[in-house]
């Protein structure tokens, strides 16, 4: 009897571990199958906001030329993939002179590395926060490769996704189901070999940059 | 040389020095710039940032606002005013005498 109890207990633990490895979250019944989501400003203004905080100065900036596609697996969200590309030349900080410095060889070297990219490989820790007839909200962690200034690093980025099924309201913007992906994360300039002008990082430019991303897309 | 004369001459000298300092720092009076304002997306309810036209008082050649600029222009103003005050006082004294 004792051996039976132990065996049963071990079996339950085993099932929990295996079950967790194969966790599957779906968007059913709002969406099913594979959905190609194309980032488009018709759905909403795609934008990346960044904040550099340093003792002498806070610099707020944005980048608004963003393109990309996400292949959303609505049946198994974890298996979604995609790619997002940001045009470095679209980055601005409110002062033209500063924008040119940001794009110069000393900083992002836009001529050599004109884009910032994120290659989505899979999604982890998916949790559905809301799901009804026309809308789903979920959160998760995007696992993939982030490329900036010619350096590629594996990154896990937390995000929230709002999925709106096509309706008369969404059609005012564009056809298809609409998606908003929001994310907040930070990157270290040192990790991407961005050294800037001597003496500025740590005083006028933060060593870590806070990034807020908002991607709007529509199914095509 | 009386002290008032020395005072206004030194004041004007410092005023010129701080003005040259401000010019050397590449300071501008007004620079066209932009600032961010927040708007709400009506469909998703999320907040988005938008640029609107703005002006910034004085910038360094690097395109960043500078403490050096902030110090130079007000100091120039201060020394100029002091120079004028001391000069006026000296003129009044010489008329009386």
């Amino acid at each position: 009897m004792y051996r039976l109890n132990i065996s049963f207990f071990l079996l339950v633990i085993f099932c929990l571990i295996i079950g967790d490895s194969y966790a599957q979250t779906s968007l059913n019944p709002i969406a099913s199958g594979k959905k190609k989501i194309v980032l488009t400003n018709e759905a909403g203004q795609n934008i990346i906001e960044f904040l550099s905080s340093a003792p002498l100065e806070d610099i707020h900036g944005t980048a608004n030329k963003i393109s990309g596609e996400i292949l959303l697996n609505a049946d198994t969200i974890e298996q979604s993939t995609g790619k997002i590309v940001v045009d470095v030349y679209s980055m601005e900080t409110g002062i033209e002179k500063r924008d040119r410095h940001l794009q110069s060889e000393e900083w992002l070297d836009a001529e050599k590395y004109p884009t910032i990219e994120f290659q989505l490989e899979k999604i982890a820790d998916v949790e559905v926060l809301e799901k009804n007839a026309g809308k789903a909200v979920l959160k998760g962690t995007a696992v993939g490769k982030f490329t900036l200034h010619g350096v590629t690093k594996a990154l896990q980025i937390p995000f929230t996704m709002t999925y709106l099924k096509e309706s008369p309201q969404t059609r005012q913007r564009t056809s298809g189901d609409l998606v908003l992906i929001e994310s907040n994360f930070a990157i270290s300039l040192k990790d991407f070999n961005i050294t800037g002008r001597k003496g500025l990082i740590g005083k006028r430019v933060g060593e870590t940059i806070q990034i807020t991303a908002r991607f709007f897309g529509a199914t095509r | 040389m009386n002290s008032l004369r020395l005072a206004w001459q030194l004041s004007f000298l410092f005023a010129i020095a701080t003005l040259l300092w401000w010019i050397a720092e590449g300071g501008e009076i007004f620079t066209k710039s932009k600032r961010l304002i927040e708007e709400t997306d009506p469909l998703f309810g999320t907040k988005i940032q938008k640029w609107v036209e703005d002006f910034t008082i004085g910038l360094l050649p690097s395109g960043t606002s500078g403490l050096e600029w902030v110090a130079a222009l007000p100091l120039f103003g201060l020394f100029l005013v002091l120079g004028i005050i001391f000069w006026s006082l000296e003129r009044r004294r010489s008329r009386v005498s």
Side-chain angles (χ1 to χ4, degrees):
Chain A
M1 189 66 180
Y2 176 72
R3 260 193 222 150
L4 193 65
N5 284 344
I6 292 287
S7 304
F8 178 71
F9 177 71
L10 287 171
L11 183 65
V12 167
I13 298 290
F14 179 74
C15 288
L16 282 172
I17 292 167
I18 296 296
D20 189 56
S21 308
Y22 288 98
Q24 293 182 358
T25 320
S26 81
L27 275 179
N28 306 144
I30 295 165
S32 60
K34 289 204 173 124
K35 299 277 183 189
K36 184 167 93 168
I37 296 166
V38 176
L39 298 191
T40 168
N41 287 340
E42 288 173 7
Q45 178 60 55
N46 283 281
I47 195 165
I48 295 225
E49 298 155 18
F50 56 89
L51 168 65
S52 156
S53 260
L56 294 182
E57 193 159 14
D58 278 354
I59 301 173
H60 293 257
T62 64
N64 58 13
K65 282 210 179 107
I66 300 166
S67 61
E69 278 181 12
I70 294 167
L71 199 59
L72 177 69
N73 187 328
D75 298 323
T76 312
I77 294 168
E78 289 80 356
Q79 292 175 5
S80 304
T81 58
K83 186 172 180 177
I84 294 172
V85 179
V86 179
D87 181 351
V88 174
Y89 283 108
S90 74
M91 292 175 81
E92 52 182 330
T93 62
I95 297 168
E96 223 177 275
K97 232 184 267 192
R98 187 164 60 193
D99 297 345
R100 287 200 294 272
H101 284 123
L102 180 63
Q103 292 157 15
S104 71
E105 204 182 315
E106 272 177 330
W107 294 94
L108 296 182
D109 201 354
E111 205 178 306
K112 208 168 165 187
Y113 313 110
T115 58
I116 298 169
E117 298 179 5
F118 180 70
Q119 184 80 42
L120 173 68
E121 293 170 344
K122 63 176 182 180
I123 297 177
D125 308 324
V126 183
E127 190 186 326
V128 177
L129 303 174
E130 184 186 331
K131 205 197 285 187
N132 58 42
K135 178 181 174 183
V137 180
L138 58 92
K139 67 177 187 180
T141 303
V143 179
K145 300 260 187 321
F146 187 86
T147 304
L148 165 65
H149 196 240
V151 177
T152 300
K153 294 252 177 220
L155 223 60
Q156 295 195 6
I157 302 173
F159 71 93
T160 305
M161 182 170 89
T162 304
Y163 191 103
L164 297 180
K165 196 155 173 62
E166 190 172 5
S167 67
Q169 276 166 314
T170 64
R171 267 184 236 117
Q172 285 175 7
R173 293 200 179 181
T174 188
S175 60
D177 300 341
L178 299 191
V179 167
L180 163 63
I181 298 166
E182 296 175 279
S183 179
N184 281 298
F185 61 101
I187 56 159
S188 165
L189 293 178
K190 206 168 37 174
D191 287 348
F192 297 93
N193 293 341
I194 298 168
T195 52
R197 197 179 298 175
K198 195 178 171 182
L200 282 185
I201 292 186
K203 289 186 187 159
R204 285 213 167 105
V205 177
E207 290 170 2
T208 303
I209 308 296
Q210 295 296 324
I211 296 174
T212 301
R214 285 193 188 85
F215 303 130
F216 292 87
T219 56
R220 294 282 183 256
Chain B
M1 186 187 282
N2 72 54
S3 55
L4 274 175
R5 178 175 284 189
L6 185 64
W8 69 255
Q9 284 178 344
L10 278 175
S11 297
F12 283 136
L13 193 66
F14 285 137
I16 292 167
T18 48
L19 185 66
L20 288 173
W21 175 27
W22 179 70
I23 292 168
E25 290 290 347
E28 302 165 22
I29 299 175
F30 284 107
T31 301
K32 202 156 178 279
S33 63
K34 295 181 193 177
R35 64 183 166 85
L36 284 167
I37 58 164
E38 205 171 70
E39 287 187 350
T40 304
D41 181 286
L43 188 60
F44 287 96
T46 187
K47 300 245 185 283
I48 49 173
Q49 304 273 5
K50 239 179 135 169
W51 289 106
V52 292
E53 299 292 330
D54 199 5
F55 280 103
T56 302
I57 298 178
L59 287 175
L60 296 177
S62 64
T64 60
S65 55
L67 290 178
E68 297 84 355
W69 178 88
V70 169
L73 209 54
L75 276 176
F76 162 73
L78 176 69
F79 287 127
L80 191 67
V81 165
L82 281 174
I84 292 168
I85 290 169
F86 290 136
W87 177 77
S88 307
L89 286 172
E90 204 230 352
R91 267 195 71 185
R92 196 181 295 172
R93 184 194 279 181
S94 59
R95 264 197 227 136
V96 165
S97 57

